[in-house]
Amino acid sequence: MKLHTPAKQTDLKAKIASFKGYIFDLDGTLLDSFGVWNTVDTLFLNKRGFEVPSDYGREISAMGFDAAAEYTIRRFGFKEEKEDIIKEWNSIAISLFESEVKLFDGARDFLLRLKKLDKKLAVATASHTELLAPCLINNGVYELFDKIVTVNEVGCGKDSPEIYLSCAERMELAPCDCVVFEDVPKAVESAKSAGFKTVGFLSYGNESDHAELKRLSDYIIEGYDEL
């Protein structure tokens, strides 16, 4: 892991003790799930005669399933109901999440260390509970989280800070006492607008967003091993 130090950034490791709550995105931040969602997008669109546009995954990454389905219908002119699209996405993804998706290297050890320090942990995700619960259980971290909040619960995507505010409220903490880990610039920007500190996670799956994440995030990491 490399910890970048632009002028605005101090050492994240040294700052850990100052935070009381840690809010994590799942897909692409804790979970190395890029391959799964690429497979879902490919199977779904190829079945309908479309290739996956290069910007499609990035466009829907901060949306909940409802908003992503509505966007997909508009973009490709589908006549299907969004509920049927979501059901098909879920049916493809569930078995893959249960059997194939793993945590990024060092993530479990980092979470365990935070719990030993009596930190509060929350998940803020656009995924459905039926996808995330088996995956977190299989990776041995489900019980580490104090709260799990989905965009469907709060009724809006991560272009709004509502999901992060809900996590903080459920942990009985103020936004200024929490740090948010995200891999999507739009989500980082949203969390910052509500007073949260942010960690931008750089990986092979979001390379096109690295420059923007570095610009927007309070801290930048490429992995969890040194945290």
Side-chain angles (χ1 to χ4, degrees), residues 60-76:
I60 66 172
S61 61
M63 301 178 186
F65 274 48
D66 284 0
E70 291 169 356
Y71 171 83
T72 300
I73 290 169
R74 289 195 306 272
R75 178 161 184 172
F76 296 98

Side-chain angles (χ1 to χ4, degrees), residues 124-142:
T125 181
S127 292
H128 280 187
T129 304
E130 59 264 34
L131 284 178
L132 66 90
C135 184
L136 293 178
I137 290 169
N138 287 346
N139 281 283
V141 296
Y142 183 79

Side-chain angles (χ1 to χ4, degrees), residues 23-30 58-65 67-68 122-127 132 149-152 154-165 167 180-194 196 198-199 216:
I23 301 171
F24 294 90
D25 169 58
L26 286 183
D27 289 309
T29 301
L30 280 183
R58 185 168 64 253
E59 287 295 320
I60 66 172
S61 61
M63 301 178 186
F65 274 48
V123 163
T125 181
S127 292
L132 66 90
V149 184
T150 69
V151 296
N152 283 349
V154 298
C156 52
K158 290 185 176 180
D159 53 345
S160 163
E162 194 60 37
I163 190 168
Y164 309 112
L165 291 169
C167 285
V180 173
F181 288 70
E182 278 283 359
D183 70 314
V184 176
K186 188 182 298 183
V188 168
E189 192 169 25
S190 177
K192 284 177 65 70
S193 74
F196 294 89
T198 57
V199 176
L216 291 170

Side-chain angles (χ1 to χ4, degrees), residues 31-57:
L31 298 177
D32 186 0
S33 54
F34 290 112
V36 167
W37 289 116
N38 288 339
T39 298
V40 172
D41 293 341
T42 299
L43 292 175
F44 176 82
L45 289 175
N46 286 358
K47 179 180 176 181
R48 291 157 176 81
F50 292 91
E51 295 296 319
V52 181
S54 60
D55 66 331
Y56 178 71

Side-chain angles (χ1 to χ4, degrees), residues 172-183:
E172 300 182 342
L173 295 173
C176 63
D177 291 324
C178 301
V179 60
V180 173
F181 288 70
E182 278 283 359
D183 70 314

Side-chain angles (χ1 to χ4, degrees), residues 92-106:
I92 299 171
I94 284 175
S95 63
L96 296 175
F97 264 78
E98 288 179 346
S99 60
E100 295 186 15
V101 175
K102 304 300 180 184
L103 296 168
F104 281 106
D105 289 345

Side-chain angles (χ1 to χ4, degrees), residues 83-97:
E83 291 79 10
D84 294 329
I85 288 176
I86 292 170
K87 183 182 294 186
E88 185 171 340
W89 284 343
N90 273 333
S91 67
I92 299 171
I94 284 175
S95 63
L96 296 175
F97 264 78

